């Protein structure tokens, strides 16, 4: 089967390459991953700025940040990548714009951050993210998507005005990847399970990869990932703060999915959890019977997609 066209000095022709892949996969002993190729940018398909509210197509922005650490109050963005794309009722349509810039932080980038991101001090020397260009890029967006929006949103709001007013969606917490046949939520794993590999942990490459994962049709009969994001973004959720919960109930709360807030930012110091609006009656019953012994002392906050994932 190999010919002169498949030697190290010459890449195989597409039809030969396809035959090689088919031969390997047909044995049942191999899975071949394709290099993920970013979608062609089609700027002329950008939705008009004066389109009627609620009309299709709409504009989504997938973004990813690389930072000097995990704490948005203490650390800085060193790279921002964004991919703007149109979408309609059926799902993802076309990529219409791409943004990618580096930024030099106040201090040296640590070896651990370089190991994770591949970004060095030499790469960012003298670089600054154009925050006005970022604001213009995000301004027409109907939805901002991040793979762990609870991490990216606070960094983006600190970096540039305009993010705070946008509805956000999180492709980690708002997609039921298990129901779609996946066993994890890390982007590299999702990409691999879709049959691709990519240059992970560089911001704009991760954006292209996430877009491709979200655009995949469902393989299990469950609602496709992108449709799940749209449904979640269109629905309000309730953040339940278990104020004054007895110490001995901490394991019960944790087992139900509550997380501890140490009181930083605007959050009270207590256990909290986000639930769907129609789940409040069940949650109130749980708190009354399992936590407060008959008298619920929880504070409930209603959050739309514009308020979710803030610091």
């Amino acid at each position: 089967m190999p010919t002169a066209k498949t030697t190290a000095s010459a890449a195989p022709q597409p039809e030969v390459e396809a035959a090689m892949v088919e031969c390997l996969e047909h044995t049942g002993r191999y899975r071949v991953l394709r290099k993920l190729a970013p979608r062609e940018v089609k700027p002329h398909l950008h939705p008009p700025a004066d389109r009627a509210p609620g009309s299709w197509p709409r504009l989504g922005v997938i973004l990813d940040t690389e930072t000097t650490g995990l704490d948005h109050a203490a650390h800085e963005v060193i790279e921002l990548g964004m991919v703007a794309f149109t979408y309609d009722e059926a799902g993802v349509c076309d990529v219409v714009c791409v943004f990618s810039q580096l930024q030099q932080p106040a201090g040296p980038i640590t070896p651990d951050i370089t190991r994770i991101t591949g970004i060095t001090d030499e790469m960012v020397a003298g670089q600054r993210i154009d925050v006005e260009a970022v604001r213009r890029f995000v301004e027409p967006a109907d939805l901002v998507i991040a793979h762990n929006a609870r991490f990216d949103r606070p960094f983006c709001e600190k970096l540039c005005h305009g993010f705070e007013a946008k509805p956000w969606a999180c492709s980690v917490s708002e997609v039921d990847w298990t129901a779609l046949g996946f066993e994890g939520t890390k982007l590299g794993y999702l990409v691999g399970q879709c049959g691709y590999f990519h240059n992970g942990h560089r911001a704009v490459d991760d954006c292209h990869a996430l877009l491709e994962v979200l655009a995949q049709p469902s393989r299990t009969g469950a609602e496709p990932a992108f449709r799940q994001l749209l449904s979640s973004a269109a629905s309000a959720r309730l953040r339940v703060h278990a104020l004054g919960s007895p110490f001995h109930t901490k394991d019960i709360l944790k087992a139900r999915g509550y997380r501890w807030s140490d009181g930083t930012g605007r959050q009270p110091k207590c256990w909290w959890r986000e639930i769907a609006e129609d789940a409040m009656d069940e949650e109130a019953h749980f708190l009354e019977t399992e936590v407060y012994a008959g008298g619920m002392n929880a504070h409930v906050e209603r959050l739309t997609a514009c308020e979710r994932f803030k610091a």
Side-chain angles (χ1 to χ4, degrees), residues 33 60 77 86 95 109 111 113 118 126 135-136 140-141 151 185 195 203 222 238-239 246 262:
L33 299 182
V77 174
T86 56
V95 171
I109 297 174
I113 295 300
R135 187 196 63 77
R136 291 195 304 269
F151 174 83
T185 62
L238 302 179
R239 181 174 292 175
D262 61 6

Side-chain angles (χ1 to χ4, degrees), residues 36-296:
L36 190 145
R39 297 187 178 204
E40 178 187 356
V41 178
K42 301 178 179 180
H44 60 285
L45 297 180
H46 199 292
D50 60 351
R51 69 192 190 281
S55 64
W56 303 97
R58 298 179 186 173
L59 187 71
V61 169
I62 289 179
L63 64 77
D64 183 55
T65 59
E66 302 297 346
T67 68
T68 57
L70 301 177
D71 183 355
H72 72 278
H75 298 122
E76 302 171 71
V77 174
I78 54 176
E79 184 178 33
L80 175 64
M82 298 187 288
V83 172
F85 65 98
T86 56
Y87 64 92
D88 59 21
E89 304 99 317
V92 172
C93 299
D94 297 289
V95 171
V96 296
C97 199
V98 174
F99 180 97
S100 179
Q101 288 186 357
L102 294 163
Q103 178 158 277
Q104 183 177 3
I109 297 174
T110 67
D112 280 346
I113 295 300
T114 295
R115 177 179 55 80
I116 293 170
T117 67
I119 298 173
T120 65
D121 287 319
E122 291 73 23
M123 292 169 61
V124 299
Q127 301 288 324
R128 297 298 298 173
I129 293 174
D130 184 342
V131 293
E132 179 57 26
V134 174
R135 187 196 63 77
R136 291 195 304 269
F137 193 100
V138 174
E139 185 175 26
D142 295 286
L143 185 65
V144 177
I145 301 169
H147 201 62
N148 191 2
R150 198 169 298 282
F151 174 83
D152 289 291
R153 180 167 188 169
F155 275 103
C156 289
E157 290 189 358
K158 179 183 175 183
L159 176 71
C160 177
H161 177 72
F163 286 106
E164 72 285 346
K166 292 297 177 181
W168 283 68
C170 177
S171 52
V172 172
S173 64
E174 295 184 293
V175 175
D176 188 346
W177 294 109
T178 300
L180 288 168
F182 297 88
E183 297 178 0
T185 62
K186 287 188 175 182
L187 181 57
Y189 176 82
L190 298 174
V191 171
Q193 288 295 289
C194 290
Y196 299 104
F197 69 92
H198 81 298
N199 180 26
H201 295 298
R202 290 306 305 274
V204 76
D205 296 318
D206 281 352
C207 293
H208 285 297
L210 179 57
L211 179 65
E212 212 56 51
V213 170
L214 291 175
Q216 295 293 307
S218 173
R219 299 174 293 179
T220 64
E223 187 176 38
F226 188 68
R227 289 298 311 171
Q228 289 188 41
L229 278 187
L230 293 186
S231 297
S232 182
S235 304
R237 292 181 65 80
L238 302 179
R239 181 174 292 175
V240 181
H241 302 272
L243 300 175
S245 58
F247 179 78
H248 71 271
T249 64
K250 64 181 180 63
D251 291 334
I252 298 173
L253 289 163
K254 188 175 181 179
R256 192 168 175 86
Y258 280 76
R259 302 167 60 184
W260 175 253
S261 169
D262 61 6
T264 57
R266 297 170 295 175
Q267 301 303 316
K269 188 175 182 179
C270 65
W271 291 91
W272 65 275
R273 180 190 186 204
E274 285 187 13
I275 61 173
E277 281 191 296
D278 59 8
M280 188 59 220
D281 288 344
E282 179 184 346
E283 200 65 24
H285 177 73
F286 160 77
L287 290 168
E288 289 171 355
T289 57
E290 301 291 334
V291 178
Y292 294 116
M296 192 180 79

